[in-house]
Amino acid sequence: MPAREKLQEQVTILREQLNQEPPLPPEKRDALEELIAKLEVQLELEPATQSPSIADDVNRAVEGFELDHPGIAGTLRNIVITLGNIGI
């Protein structure tokens, strides 16, 4: 599966997890929704115009979800790996 398709699949999984996980505090939910929106924008861009800072944003999100929501953190780690495969 091409990396961009894999990234789209992982973003979809992340959105599903956001809706299935126990309720998140509003600030964490908002931050995750904002991150998902950024990832969706990245999927629309050509690789040459993509921002490498998105990987930093995802890494920070991993830290925020690691303890309380390991499923979300795992999906976010997969996204970081996929971004690296794309060259972001």
Side-chain angles (χ1 to χ4, degrees), residues 30-45:
D30 291 346
L32 192 55
E33 286 177 347
E34 183 179 322
L35 182 60
I36 290 170
K38 285 182 183 180
L39 288 166
E40 290 172 338
V41 167
Q42 291 297 307
L43 285 165
E44 300 299 320
L45 297 175

Side-chain angles (χ1 to χ4, degrees), residues 10 13-14 17 21 58 61-63 65-67 69-82:
Q10 291 168 341
I13 290 169
L14 187 60
Q17 287 176 319
E21 289 285 323
V58 177
V62 168
E63 294 171 9
F65 287 94
E66 219 161 20
L67 295 176
H69 303 281
I72 290 174
T75 301
L76 290 167
R77 279 190 212 92
N78 290 338
I79 289 172
V80 169
I81 291 167
T82 303

Side-chain angles (χ1 to χ4, degrees), residues 51-64:
S51 170
S53 68
I54 189 74
D56 294 336
D57 292 345
V58 177
N59 275 320
R60 279 191 293 279
V62 168
E63 294 171 9

